[in-house]
Amino acid sequence: MDMIIHERRDEADGVVSLTLGCARGGELPAWAPGAHVDVHLGPELVRQYSLCSDPADRQRWRLGVLREPVSRGGSEYVFDKLHGGDIVTLGEPRNHFALEPAARYVFVAGGIGITPILPMIAAAEAAGAEWTLLYGGRSRSSMAFTDELAAYDDRVTIAPQDEVGLLDLTGLLATPRRDTLVYACGPEPMLCAVDSFMAGWPAGSLRVERFAPKTLEDTGTETFEVEFAASGVVATVPPDRSVLTVAEEAGIPALWSCREGTCGTCETPLLAGRAEHRDSVLTDEEKA
């Protein structure tokens, strides 16, 4: 759908927000905290950004965008070419990081990972749940939306690395709790550290969202066959190809966006057989 940029705002060093509405007017599709959208920036240039506005506002969506030092083209395009009044095409909201009901939440955000957490905090607050946020970044000036978070007082801990060092996850996650869900979004080293500190927590306590694919220890060396049930086509998938790539080569239409296993667009039902999951979206329970 075509959207118009109502406002572009500098939120921190290297971070801008875009506030958008329907170019033709009218209500936007409903969404829930944790959702993201595809932003079509050009031919073969599609990027995913988390919605960080109020889900109850059906007139406006807000996205937060970090300028990546080594951009693959997406953030560079946003920073250099998108301004107020421009029209940009967005996809429907998708959510692989949904906020599930809980009595207590622990939110951990690193850098631009704060974007999906913002509406989660508001939802937890509205539900009367107990919650805390630990928010880290390289420096205070690089951390976006801290002015909004100030309204929550001591439930929010702002932890710039150049002032306090690495996030203090020991105290935060030392004691497993069965009534608590932990939501984390940020760079891979932070997510790995959170996962490590939660080794003794009940299964399913941790929910994460990645902006880059996680590192796989073993990408597999086997060739296997896949049958595409709708068409009846049977194809061979070699070690250096994905099922998606083989489907495209066989002329089978398939939805995709990131091609990295982080957005969930190409998620497909498995009718039979054993899957070797290489995505960064599904939980261990979902993979099983």
Side-chain angles (χ1 to χ4, degrees):
M1 56 189 157
D2 288 339
M3 307 276 286
I4 185 170
I5 300 175
H6 291 299
E7 181 184 20
R8 168 178 160 152
R9 177 178 171 182
D10 292 328
E11 299 290 352
D13 292 345
V15 179
V16 297
S17 66
L18 303 177
T19 301
L20 310 98
C22 282
R24 298 180 181 178
E27 286 194 339
L28 293 164
W31 62 280
H36 67 267
V37 292
D38 286 346
V39 181
H40 298 260
L41 301 172
E44 302 297 319
L45 185 59
V46 181
R47 294 293 180 266
Q48 295 75 41
Y49 297 109
S50 296
L51 292 164
C52 61
S53 45
D54 179 0
D57 185 352
R58 300 290 295 276
Q59 304 299 317
R60 298 285 189 275
W61 283 352
R62 184 178 64 173
L63 310 175
V65 182
L66 168 70
R67 181 158 205 159
E68 297 285 355
V70 183
S71 174
R72 294 181 297 132
S75 67
E76 181 180 304
Y77 188 100
V78 171
F79 271 77
D80 295 344
K81 298 185 178 181
L82 290 186
H83 304 280
D86 287 347
I87 303 295
V88 62
T89 300
L90 272 66
E92 297 281 335
R94 297 196 307 275
N95 201 338
H96 293 275
F97 193 44
L99 185 68
E100 303 293 339
R104 181 174 180 266
Y105 298 98
V106 174
F107 299 108
V108 184
I112 198 62
I114 190 62
T115 50
I117 300 296
L118 288 174
M120 289 185 176
I121 287 173
E125 182 78 357
E130 180 184 347
W131 64 269
T132 60
L133 166 66
L134 179 59
Y135 177 23
R138 295 187 309 277
S139 64
R140 195 174 296 271
S141 65
S142 71
M143 299 172 68
F145 307 113
T146 53
D147 53 340
E148 295 181 24
L149 294 169
Y152 296 114
D153 300 321
D154 59 358
R155 282 171 294 178
V156 174
T157 299
I158 304 295
Q161 186 173 351
D162 62 351
E163 296 179 22
V164 300
L166 297 177
L167 295 180
D168 180 14
L169 298 175
T170 305
L172 186 69
L173 303 172
T175 305
R177 294 185 55 160
R178 294 191 174 275
D179 63 346
T180 301
L181 291 179
V182 179
Y183 281 80
C185 184
E188 187 64 18
M190 186 201 83
L191 297 180
C192 289
V194 171
D195 188 43
S196 176
F197 276 99
M198 291 191 64
W201 283 63
S205 298
L206 175 62
R207 315 294 169 86
V208 303
E209 182 169 66
R210 289 175 163 85
F211 292 136
K214 60 185 178 182
T215 302
L216 299 175
E217 294 181 1
D218 182 9
T219 58
T221 58
E222 294 183 1
T223 294
F224 63 93
E225 284 192 341
V226 58
E227 178 181 353
F228 301 100
S231 63
V233 172
V234 177
T236 299
V237 183
D240 61 343
R241 293 277 204 283
S242 67
V243 175
L244 173 61
T245 301
V246 169
E248 291 176 322
E249 292 171 348
I252 296 170
L255 294 176
W256 60 271
S257 181
C258 73
R259 304 190 79 96
E260 295 180 329
T262 57
C263 74
T265 304
C266 65
E267 183 177 331
T268 304
L270 177 67
L271 302 181
R274 179 183 61 84
E276 181 182 308
H277 296 282
R278 300 178 187 176
D279 66 272
S280 301
V281 174
L282 301 178
T283 66
D284 289 341
E285 292 77 12
E286 290 169 333
K287 290 178 179 179

